[in-house]
Each structure stands twice: as C-alpha cells, then as structure tokens.
Amino acid sequence: EAGVTQFPSHSVIEKGQTVTLRCDPISGHDNLYWYRRVMGKEIKFLLHFVKESKQDESGMPNNRFLAERTGGTYSTLKVQPAELEDSGVYFCASSPLVSNQGYEQFFGPGTRLTVL
Amino acid sequence: AQSVSQHNHHVILSEAASLELGCNYSYGGTVNLFWYVQYPGQHLQLLLKYFSGDPLVKGIKGFEAEFIKSKFSFNLRKPSVQWSDTAEYFCAASIKAAGNKLTFGGGTRVLVKP
C-alpha cells in the first residue's frame, strides 16, 4: 500500500511569488490534515478535510493560504503571495474516517518551503 | 486550549543507556496520546499510541510509554538505546471532539553516540 506522498519535496521561491504544495493521501483515507513546522518551533495544525469538505481550518495563518481537496482525493495548499515567515516544512497526514486502529495519522515526507 | 510540552529539546547519550523523554499535556477531558519519531531523512512515523485501557503502552523498536492521568503525563522510555535510535521524537495529543487534529510538543532531538 502506498503511503502519503507530497510534492515537491523542496521549494525555494522569492517573497511575493506563489507556491502550490500537493498531498496525495493513502487511498481510501477520508481524513486529510495539513501541518506546518517553522524552524525552531513545534509542528502546528493548519487544517483538516473530511473528504472534500473543510472540517476545521482554524490553524490557517491568514488568507494568503488556500487549501483545496477537489473530489475528496488529493489536496493542494497554495500560498499567495509568499512571505518570509511562511518558510518551514509542510506536512500532510491522512487517516481513515472509521478505524478499529484508533486515530493514527499517517504522515507524508513533508515539503520544505524556503521563501527568500 | 490544548497544549503539549516536552521536557527536553536535546538529549545525548551512549549506546545501551536508558532513555526517558518527558511529555505533559493540558486537557481535562479524554485525550488520545501519541509518540511519533522522525529518523534522519525520513518521514514522521508512529512509535506508539494510547487511547484507553492499560496505561502502559508498548510500541515498536522496544519503546514503551506510560500514561499517568493524575500527572497529565505520557513519558516515553526505552531501557537500552542503540545508535539507530538517533532521531527526533514528538509527543502529540488529540481529542475526537476536535476532529482528532494533533497538538504536538516541541520535539526532542536524541543523539545516541556509538
């Protein structure tokens, strides 16, 4: 079974540019989460999709961030325009809606975003 | 608001030493608790989890953690570490009512010297 994949693995952009990160969850996982780790800080929740619906976007920093999950499969996270403080590692995680394995989330490798 | 704190940012120890990483959470209700690990160059993976039942949880690679409700703690232990345990360790908590989103501690970097 393929794990959670993220693309790109690294992105270096200049302040003011736009970047789109992609996450492909494990097939069949209806829950999809985005997290971010800014250097030196803890991993923080950004938002949560259940299928194609945004369940909780309380962690989104501001309106420069837009997340979508068309069709309830892969998700994209767009940052427009990027600012220096957006640099960090963006993680995606997925989990089944119902599971007898508890609420474990499976993480992707992350996208390291550097804004210059 | 829910929060998780880890006691140490960095730990250095020698092979065969015992490891204990502290984790405390703040939430009065029913929480789910996790330890995740990130080995160098790899993605986050689950070491162990606690939802209910026996407060002593055994995970992969010889790790275990003890949930002590009265202390709001979920400390991670390993009796004898190996060089391959060099990694960053994250404690996390979630509650079902909040969509099971994870709240992470700051992480602890563990370096095991051969």
Side-chain angles (χ1 to χ4, degrees):
Chain A
E1 177 183 275
V4 177
T5 58
Q6 292 186 245
F7 182 83
S9 57
H10 293 83
S11 180
V12 181
I13 62 172
E14 293 193 349
K15 175 183 171 180
Q17 290 186 320
T18 297
V19 63
T20 300
L21 313 181
R22 174 171 168 144
C23 168
D24 286 79
I26 292 173
S27 178
H29 281 192
D30 288 329
N31 286 309
L32 188 150
Y33 302 83
W34 283 99
Y35 297 89
R36 178 176 74 171
R37 190 181 196 192
V38 172
M39 186 176 292
K41 304 280 189 178
E42 68 272 22
I43 301 170
K44 283 197 170 179
F45 166 81
L46 295 178
L47 86 158
H48 170 208
F49 283 100
V50 176
K51 298 183 181 180
E52 68 276 6
S53 300
K54 290 177 187 174
Q55 188 77 8
D56 179 358
E57 50 184 330
S58 61
M60 294 286 260
N62 50 60
N63 58 11
R64 295 186 292 103
F65 289 75
L66 175 64
E68 294 181 325
R69 191 181 182 193
T70 307
T73 54
Y74 70 91
S75 174
T76 58
L77 180 64
K78 182 191 290 188
V79 186
Q80 179 182 30
E83 298 289 345
L84 299 179
E85 63 264 26
D86 301 332
S87 296
V89 181
Y90 290 76
F91 294 101
C92 175
S94 71
S95 68
L97 202 55
V98 178
S99 171
N100 59 4
Q101 297 298 316
Y103 306 109
E104 175 184 353
Q105 294 180 22
F106 297 83
F107 280 80
T111 293
R112 183 175 295 277
L113 174 65
T114 302
V115 183
L116 302 175
Chain B
Q2 187 176 332
S3 68
V4 176
S5 62
Q6 292 182 236
H7 304 171
N8 308 95
H9 294 298
H10 293 90
V11 171
I12 301 174
L13 61 168
S14 299
E15 276 193 312
S18 63
L19 173 70
E20 180 161 359
L21 302 182
C23 172
N24 286 90
Y25 64 94
S26 67
Y27 184 73
T30 301
V31 294
N32 307 308
L33 296 162
F34 307 83
W35 277 96
Y36 280 86
V37 62
Q38 187 170 29
Y39 298 103
Q42 297 187 29
H43 58 274
L44 280 160
Q45 56 186 283
L46 185 70
L47 266 182
L48 46 77
K49 58 190 177 187
Y50 173 80
F51 297 108
S52 63
D54 188 345
L56 186 61
V57 180
K58 295 196 181 296
I60 61 171
K61 305 190 180 188
F63 285 90
E64 63 178 31
E66 185 175 12
F67 169 57
I68 303 179
K69 189 174 182 180
S70 61
K71 295 184 178 180
F72 296 89
S73 70
F74 189 55
N75 293 352
L76 180 71
R77 297 192 293 253
K78 185 169 183 177
S80 175
V81 295
Q82 300 172 310
W83 174 79
S84 58
D85 293 321
T86 293
E88 190 163 16
Y89 294 79
F90 298 90
C91 182
S94 72
I95 54 175
K96 187 177 179 182
N100 294 310
K101 63 185 178 188
L102 292 169
T103 299
F104 284 88
T108 300
R109 289 187 183 274
V110 173
L111 173 62
V112 180
K113 298 188 292 184

Short mmCIF file of all heavy atoms in Angstrom, two decimals, chain A residues 31 33 35 37 41-45 48 55-56 58 91 101-110, chain B residues 32 34 36 38 43-44 46 49 51 88 90 94 96 98-107 109:
data_model
loop_
_atom_site.label_atom_id
_atom_site.label_comp_id
_atom_site.label_asym_id
_atom_site.label_seq_id
_atom_site.Cartn_x
_atom_site.Cartn_y
_atom_site.Cartn_z
N ASN A 31 -9.98 11.38 5.91
CA ASN A 31 -9.41 12.49 6.68
C ASN A 31 -8.08 12.89 6.08
O ASN A 31 -7.21 12.04 5.83
CB ASN A 31 -9.17 12.07 8.14
CG ASN A 31 -10.45 11.97 8.93
OD1 ASN A 31 -11.26 12.88 8.93
ND2 ASN A 31 -10.63 10.86 9.62
N TYR A 33 -5.11 15.98 6.74
CA TYR A 33 -4.67 17.08 7.61
C TYR A 33 -3.42 17.73 7.01
O TYR A 33 -2.56 17.06 6.46
CB TYR A 33 -4.30 16.56 9.00
CG TYR A 33 -5.39 15.82 9.74
CD1 TYR A 33 -5.64 14.47 9.48
CD2 TYR A 33 -6.17 16.46 10.71
CE1 TYR A 33 -6.63 13.79 10.17
CE2 TYR A 33 -7.16 15.78 11.40
CZ TYR A 33 -7.38 14.44 11.13
OH TYR A 33 -8.36 13.76 11.81
N TYR A 35 -0.22 20.20 8.30
CA TYR A 35 0.52 20.74 9.43
C TYR A 35 1.73 21.51 8.90
O TYR A 35 2.16 21.31 7.77
CB TYR A 35 1.03 19.62 10.36
CG TYR A 35 -0.04 18.79 11.02
CD1 TYR A 35 -0.55 17.66 10.39
CD2 TYR A 35 -0.53 19.13 12.29
CE1 TYR A 35 -1.53 16.89 11.00
CE2 TYR A 35 -1.51 18.36 12.90
CZ TYR A 35 -2.00 17.25 12.25
OH TYR A 35 -2.97 16.49 12.86
N ARG A 37 5.73 23.07 10.22
CA ARG A 37 6.74 23.28 11.24
C ARG A 37 7.66 24.39 10.78
O ARG A 37 8.42 24.22 9.82
CB ARG A 37 7.56 22.02 11.53
CG ARG A 37 8.44 22.21 12.75
CD ARG A 37 9.27 21.01 13.07
NE ARG A 37 9.80 21.10 14.43
CZ ARG A 37 10.75 20.31 14.91
NH1 ARG A 37 11.27 19.35 14.15
NH2 ARG A 37 11.18 20.46 16.15
N LYS A 41 10.35 25.72 15.92
CA LYS A 41 9.06 25.70 16.61
C LYS A 41 8.44 24.30 16.53
O LYS A 41 8.96 23.41 15.89
CB LYS A 41 8.10 26.70 15.94
CG LYS A 41 8.62 28.11 15.88
CD LYS A 41 8.43 28.81 17.19
CE LYS A 41 8.75 30.29 17.07
NZ LYS A 41 8.53 31.00 18.35
N GLU A 42 7.30 24.16 17.18
CA GLU A 42 6.63 22.86 17.14
C GLU A 42 5.82 22.71 15.87
O GLU A 42 5.52 23.69 15.18
CB GLU A 42 5.72 22.69 18.37
CG GLU A 42 4.51 23.60 18.41
CD GLU A 42 4.78 24.93 19.06
OE1 GLU A 42 5.96 25.35 19.11
OE2 GLU A 42 3.81 25.56 19.49
N ILE A 43 5.47 21.48 15.56
CA ILE A 43 4.59 21.20 14.43
C ILE A 43 3.19 21.69 14.79
O ILE A 43 2.65 21.35 15.85
CB ILE A 43 4.54 19.69 14.13
CG1 ILE A 43 5.95 19.16 13.82
CG2 ILE A 43 3.60 19.39 12.98
CD1 ILE A 43 6.04 17.65 13.77
N LYS A 44 2.63 22.49 13.89
CA LYS A 44 1.31 23.07 14.18
C LYS A 44 0.27 22.70 13.13
O LYS A 44 0.56 22.68 11.94
CB LYS A 44 1.41 24.59 14.28
CG LYS A 44 2.02 25.07 15.57
CD LYS A 44 1.72 26.55 15.82
CE LYS A 44 2.11 26.95 17.22
NZ LYS A 44 1.86 28.36 17.49
N PHE A 45 -0.90 22.46 13.60
CA PHE A 45 -2.05 22.12 12.75
C PHE A 45 -2.44 23.31 11.90
O PHE A 45 -2.47 24.45 12.38
CB PHE A 45 -3.21 21.70 13.65
CG PHE A 45 -4.55 21.63 12.97
CD1 PHE A 45 -4.90 20.52 12.21
CD2 PHE A 45 -5.45 22.67 13.10
CE1 PHE A 45 -6.14 20.45 11.59
CE2 PHE A 45 -6.69 22.61 12.49
CZ PHE A 45 -7.04 21.50 11.74
N HIS A 48 -8.02 20.66 8.36
CA HIS A 48 -8.49 19.29 8.31
C HIS A 48 -9.63 19.19 7.30
O HIS A 48 -10.59 19.94 7.36
CB HIS A 48 -8.97 18.87 9.71
CG HIS A 48 -9.70 17.56 9.77
ND1 HIS A 48 -10.65 17.30 10.75
CD2 HIS A 48 -9.62 16.43 9.02
CE1 HIS A 48 -11.11 16.07 10.59
NE2 HIS A 48 -10.50 15.52 9.55
N GLN A 55 -13.22 20.65 7.37
CA GLN A 55 -13.83 20.40 8.67
C GLN A 55 -13.38 21.44 9.69
O GLN A 55 -14.14 21.85 10.56
CB GLN A 55 -13.42 19.00 9.15
CG GLN A 55 -14.11 18.51 10.38
CD GLN A 55 -15.52 18.04 10.08
OE1 GLN A 55 -15.92 17.94 8.92
NE2 GLN A 55 -16.30 17.75 11.10
N ASP A 56 -12.13 21.84 9.57
CA ASP A 56 -11.55 22.74 10.56
C ASP A 56 -10.37 23.44 9.89
O ASP A 56 -9.43 22.78 9.48
CB ASP A 56 -11.08 21.93 11.79
CG ASP A 56 -10.44 22.78 12.87
OD1 ASP A 56 -10.30 23.99 12.68
OD2 ASP A 56 -10.06 22.22 13.91
N SER A 58 -9.01 26.23 11.45
CA SER A 58 -8.66 27.18 12.50
C SER A 58 -7.17 27.47 12.59
O SER A 58 -6.77 28.47 13.16
CB SER A 58 -9.15 26.66 13.86
OG SER A 58 -8.54 25.41 14.15
N PHE A 91 3.69 19.48 6.35
CA PHE A 91 3.38 18.05 6.41
C PHE A 91 1.91 17.83 6.08
O PHE A 91 1.04 18.61 6.46
CB PHE A 91 3.63 17.49 7.81
CG PHE A 91 5.07 17.49 8.23
CD1 PHE A 91 5.55 18.46 9.09
CD2 PHE A 91 5.93 16.50 7.79
CE1 PHE A 91 6.88 18.46 9.50
CE2 PHE A 91 7.26 16.49 8.19
CZ PHE A 91 7.73 17.48 9.04
N GLN A 101 -8.25 0.83 14.45
CA GLN A 101 -6.86 1.03 14.84
C GLN A 101 -6.69 2.35 15.59
O GLN A 101 -5.56 2.80 15.78
CB GLN A 101 -5.96 1.03 13.59
CG GLN A 101 -5.97 -0.27 12.83
CD GLN A 101 -5.43 -1.41 13.66
OE1 GLN A 101 -4.43 -1.26 14.34
NE2 GLN A 101 -6.11 -2.53 13.63
N GLY A 102 -7.81 2.93 15.96
CA GLY A 102 -7.70 4.20 16.66
C GLY A 102 -7.51 5.34 15.68
O GLY A 102 -7.84 5.23 14.51
N TYR A 103 -6.94 6.40 16.13
CA TYR A 103 -6.92 7.62 15.34
C TYR A 103 -5.53 7.97 14.85
O TYR A 103 -5.15 9.12 14.78
CB TYR A 103 -7.51 8.76 16.16
CG TYR A 103 -8.88 8.41 16.70
CD1 TYR A 103 -9.07 8.17 18.06
CD2 TYR A 103 -9.96 8.29 15.85
CE1 TYR A 103 -10.32 7.82 18.54
CE2 TYR A 103 -11.21 7.95 16.33
CZ TYR A 103 -11.38 7.72 17.67
OH TYR A 103 -12.61 7.37 18.16
N GLU A 104 -4.78 6.97 14.48
CA GLU A 104 -3.44 7.21 13.99
C GLU A 104 -3.48 7.94 12.67
O GLU A 104 -4.27 7.62 11.78
CB GLU A 104 -2.70 5.89 13.77
CG GLU A 104 -1.32 6.04 13.15
CD GLU A 104 -0.66 4.71 12.86
OE1 GLU A 104 -1.22 3.67 13.26
OE2 GLU A 104 0.40 4.72 12.24
N GLN A 105 -2.63 8.93 12.54
CA GLN A 105 -2.48 9.65 11.28
C GLN A 105 -1.18 9.21 10.64
O GLN A 105 -0.16 9.06 11.31
CB GLN A 105 -2.48 11.15 11.51
CG GLN A 105 -3.81 11.68 12.02
CD GLN A 105 -3.82 13.16 12.26
OE1 GLN A 105 -3.03 13.92 11.71
NE2 GLN A 105 -4.74 13.61 13.10
N PHE A 106 -1.22 9.04 9.33
CA PHE A 106 -0.06 8.61 8.57
C PHE A 106 0.49 9.84 7.85
O PHE A 106 -0.24 10.51 7.11
CB PHE A 106 -0.46 7.52 7.58
CG PHE A 106 -0.96 6.28 8.24
CD1 PHE A 106 -2.28 6.17 8.65
CD2 PHE A 106 -0.11 5.21 8.48
CE1 PHE A 106 -2.75 5.03 9.28
CE2 PHE A 106 -0.58 4.06 9.10
CZ PHE A 106 -1.89 3.97 9.50
N PHE A 107 1.76 10.09 8.06
CA PHE A 107 2.36 11.32 7.55
C PHE A 107 3.11 11.12 6.25
O PHE A 107 3.71 10.08 6.01
CB PHE A 107 3.31 11.90 8.60
CG PHE A 107 2.61 12.66 9.68
CD1 PHE A 107 2.00 11.99 10.74
CD2 PHE A 107 2.53 14.04 9.64
CE1 PHE A 107 1.32 12.68 11.73
CE2 PHE A 107 1.86 14.75 10.63
CZ PHE A 107 1.25 14.06 11.66
N GLY A 108 3.08 12.17 5.44
CA GLY A 108 3.93 12.24 4.28
C GLY A 108 5.31 12.75 4.64
O GLY A 108 5.54 13.12 5.80
N PRO A 109 6.22 12.79 3.67
CA PRO A 109 7.60 13.19 3.96
C PRO A 109 7.77 14.69 4.17
O PRO A 109 8.81 15.13 4.64
CB PRO A 109 8.36 12.74 2.71
CG PRO A 109 7.33 12.72 1.64
CD PRO A 109 6.04 12.34 2.29
N GLY A 110 6.76 15.45 3.83
CA GLY A 110 6.85 16.89 4.01
C GLY A 110 7.39 17.61 2.80
O GLY A 110 8.10 17.03 1.96
N ASN B 32 -6.35 11.34 23.32
CA ASN B 32 -5.58 10.28 22.71
C ASN B 32 -4.14 10.76 22.66
O ASN B 32 -3.88 11.93 22.34
CB ASN B 32 -6.07 10.00 21.28
CG ASN B 32 -7.56 9.75 21.23
OD1 ASN B 32 -8.08 8.92 21.96
ND2 ASN B 32 -8.27 10.48 20.39
N PHE B 34 0.07 10.15 21.64
CA PHE B 34 0.92 9.53 20.65
C PHE B 34 2.38 9.93 20.87
O PHE B 34 2.67 11.01 21.37
CB PHE B 34 0.56 10.01 19.23
CG PHE B 34 -0.89 9.84 18.86
CD1 PHE B 34 -1.84 10.79 19.26
CD2 PHE B 34 -1.33 8.76 18.12
CE1 PHE B 34 -3.18 10.66 18.93
CE2 PHE B 34 -2.66 8.62 17.77
CZ PHE B 34 -3.59 9.57 18.18
N TYR B 36 5.46 10.10 18.11
CA TYR B 36 5.94 9.93 16.74
C TYR B 36 7.46 10.11 16.74
O TYR B 36 8.02 10.80 17.59
CB TYR B 36 5.32 10.98 15.81
CG TYR B 36 3.93 10.68 15.34
CD1 TYR B 36 2.82 11.04 16.10
CD2 TYR B 36 3.71 10.02 14.12
CE1 TYR B 36 1.53 10.77 15.65
CE2 TYR B 36 2.42 9.74 13.68
CZ TYR B 36 1.34 10.12 14.45
OH TYR B 36 0.06 9.84 14.02
N GLN B 38 10.90 10.83 14.02
CA GLN B 38 11.39 11.16 12.69
C GLN B 38 12.88 10.86 12.64
O GLN B 38 13.68 11.59 13.25
CB GLN B 38 11.12 12.62 12.35
CG GLN B 38 11.44 12.96 10.89
CD GLN B 38 10.96 14.34 10.49
OE1 GLN B 38 10.87 15.24 11.31
NE2 GLN B 38 10.67 14.51 9.22
N HIS B 43 10.26 10.30 7.06
CA HIS B 43 9.06 11.00 7.47
C HIS B 43 8.65 10.59 8.89
O HIS B 43 9.17 9.61 9.44
CB HIS B 43 7.92 10.73 6.49
CG HIS B 43 7.59 9.28 6.33
ND1 HIS B 43 8.23 8.44 5.45
CD2 HIS B 43 6.67 8.51 6.96
CE1 HIS B 43 7.74 7.24 5.53
NE2 HIS B 43 6.78 7.25 6.45
N LEU B 44 7.75 11.33 9.45
CA LEU B 44 7.22 11.02 10.77
C LEU B 44 6.54 9.66 10.76
O LEU B 44 5.72 9.36 9.89
CB LEU B 44 6.19 12.07 11.18
CG LEU B 44 6.70 13.39 11.72
CD1 LEU B 44 5.62 14.45 11.61
CD2 LEU B 44 7.14 13.23 13.16
N LEU B 46 4.71 6.58 13.49
CA LEU B 46 4.17 6.35 14.82
C LEU B 46 5.00 5.33 15.58
O LEU B 46 5.30 4.25 15.07
CB LEU B 46 2.73 5.84 14.70
CG LEU B 46 1.98 5.67 16.02
CD1 LEU B 46 1.66 7.03 16.63
CD2 LEU B 46 0.69 4.88 15.80
N LYS B 49 0.83 4.54 20.68
CA LYS B 49 -0.34 5.37 20.91
C LYS B 49 -1.12 4.84 22.12
O LYS B 49 -1.05 3.65 22.43
CB LYS B 49 -1.25 5.38 19.68
CG LYS B 49 -1.72 3.99 19.28
CD LYS B 49 -2.41 3.99 17.94
CE LYS B 49 -2.80 2.56 17.55
NZ LYS B 49 -3.33 2.46 16.17
N PHE B 51 -5.10 5.08 23.72
CA PHE B 51 -6.49 5.56 23.64
C PHE B 51 -7.25 5.25 24.91
O PHE B 51 -8.01 6.05 25.42
CB PHE B 51 -7.20 4.93 22.43
CG PHE B 51 -6.58 5.33 21.13
CD1 PHE B 51 -5.85 4.44 20.38
CD2 PHE B 51 -6.69 6.63 20.68
CE1 PHE B 51 -5.26 4.82 19.20
CE2 PHE B 51 -6.10 7.02 19.49
CZ PHE B 51 -5.38 6.11 18.75
N GLU B 88 14.46 12.48 16.00
CA GLU B 88 13.69 13.47 16.75
C GLU B 88 12.36 12.82 17.15
O GLU B 88 11.70 12.19 16.33
CB GLU B 88 13.46 14.74 15.94
CG GLU B 88 12.87 15.87 16.77
CD GLU B 88 13.00 17.24 16.14
OE1 GLU B 88 13.27 17.34 14.93
OE2 GLU B 88 12.81 18.25 16.89
N PHE B 90 8.53 13.14 18.93
CA PHE B 90 7.45 14.09 19.14
C PHE B 90 6.32 13.44 19.93
O PHE B 90 5.82 12.38 19.55
CB PHE B 90 6.87 14.57 17.81
CG PHE B 90 7.84 15.30 16.93
CD1 PHE B 90 8.61 14.61 16.01
CD2 PHE B 90 7.97 16.68 17.02
CE1 PHE B 90 9.52 15.28 15.19
CE2 PHE B 90 8.87 17.36 16.21
CZ PHE B 90 9.65 16.67 15.30
N SER B 94 -4.55 14.35 20.86
CA SER B 94 -5.72 14.72 20.07
C SER B 94 -6.97 14.39 20.85
O SER B 94 -6.95 13.58 21.79
CB SER B 94 -5.74 13.97 18.73
OG SER B 94 -6.04 12.60 18.91
N LYS B 96 -11.20 13.55 20.06
CA LYS B 96 -12.14 13.21 19.00
C LYS B 96 -13.05 14.39 18.68
O LYS B 96 -13.36 14.66 17.53
CB LYS B 96 -12.96 11.99 19.40
CG LYS B 96 -13.84 11.46 18.28
CD LYS B 96 -14.58 10.20 18.71
CE LYS B 96 -15.47 9.69 17.58
NZ LYS B 96 -16.23 8.49 17.99
N ALA B 98 -12.47 17.36 18.55
CA ALA B 98 -11.81 18.38 17.74
C ALA B 98 -11.30 17.79 16.43
O ALA B 98 -10.31 18.26 15.87
CB ALA B 98 -10.66 19.01 18.51
N GLY B 99 -11.97 16.75 15.97
CA GLY B 99 -11.60 16.18 14.68
C GLY B 99 -10.29 15.41 14.70
O GLY B 99 -9.73 15.11 13.65
N ASN B 100 -9.82 15.10 15.89
CA ASN B 100 -8.58 14.33 16.04
C ASN B 100 -7.36 15.04 15.49
O ASN B 100 -6.35 14.39 15.19
CB ASN B 100 -8.71 12.93 15.41
CG ASN B 100 -9.72 12.08 16.15
OD1 ASN B 100 -9.66 11.97 17.37
ND2 ASN B 100 -10.65 11.50 15.42
N LYS B 101 -7.42 16.35 15.34
CA LYS B 101 -6.21 17.05 14.91
C LYS B 101 -5.17 16.92 16.02
O LYS B 101 -5.49 16.92 17.21
CB LYS B 101 -6.50 18.52 14.62
CG LYS B 101 -6.97 19.31 15.83
CD LYS B 101 -7.35 20.73 15.43
CE LYS B 101 -7.87 21.52 16.63
NZ LYS B 101 -8.41 22.84 16.22
N LEU B 102 -3.94 16.80 15.63
CA LEU B 102 -2.86 16.58 16.59
C LEU B 102 -2.28 17.91 17.08
O LEU B 102 -2.04 18.82 16.30
CB LEU B 102 -1.74 15.76 15.94
CG LEU B 102 -2.10 14.31 15.59
CD1 LEU B 102 -1.02 13.69 14.72
CD2 LEU B 102 -2.29 13.49 16.86
N THR B 103 -2.07 17.95 18.39
CA THR B 103 -1.30 19.03 19.00
C THR B 103 0.03 18.44 19.41
O THR B 103 0.06 17.47 20.18
CB THR B 103 -2.04 19.61 20.22
OG1 THR B 103 -3.29 20.14 19.81
CG2 THR B 103 -1.21 20.71 20.87
N PHE B 104 1.10 19.01 18.91
CA PHE B 104 2.42 18.44 19.12
C PHE B 104 3.19 19.20 20.20
O PHE B 104 3.03 20.41 20.39
CB PHE B 104 3.27 18.52 17.85
CG PHE B 104 2.91 17.51 16.80
CD1 PHE B 104 1.93 17.77 15.86
CD2 PHE B 104 3.55 16.28 16.75
CE1 PHE B 104 1.60 16.85 14.89
CE2 PHE B 104 3.24 15.34 15.79
CZ PHE B 104 2.26 15.62 14.85
N GLY B 105 4.07 18.46 20.87
CA GLY B 105 5.09 19.10 21.68
C GLY B 105 6.20 19.62 20.76
O GLY B 105 6.17 19.41 19.55
N GLY B 106 7.18 20.26 21.36
CA GLY B 106 8.23 20.90 20.58
C GLY B 106 9.24 19.94 19.96
O GLY B 106 10.07 20.36 19.15
N GLY B 107 9.19 18.67 20.35
CA GLY B 107 10.14 17.70 19.83
C GLY B 107 11.39 17.62 20.68
O GLY B 107 11.82 18.60 21.31
N ARG B 109 15.32 16.16 20.23
CA ARG B 109 16.35 15.54 19.39
C ARG B 109 17.21 14.64 20.26
O ARG B 109 17.79 15.10 21.25
CB ARG B 109 17.22 16.60 18.73
CG ARG B 109 16.52 17.39 17.64
CD ARG B 109 17.51 18.30 16.92
NE ARG B 109 16.84 19.10 15.92
CZ ARG B 109 16.62 18.68 14.68
NH1 ARG B 109 17.03 17.50 14.29
NH2 ARG B 109 15.99 19.47 13.82
#
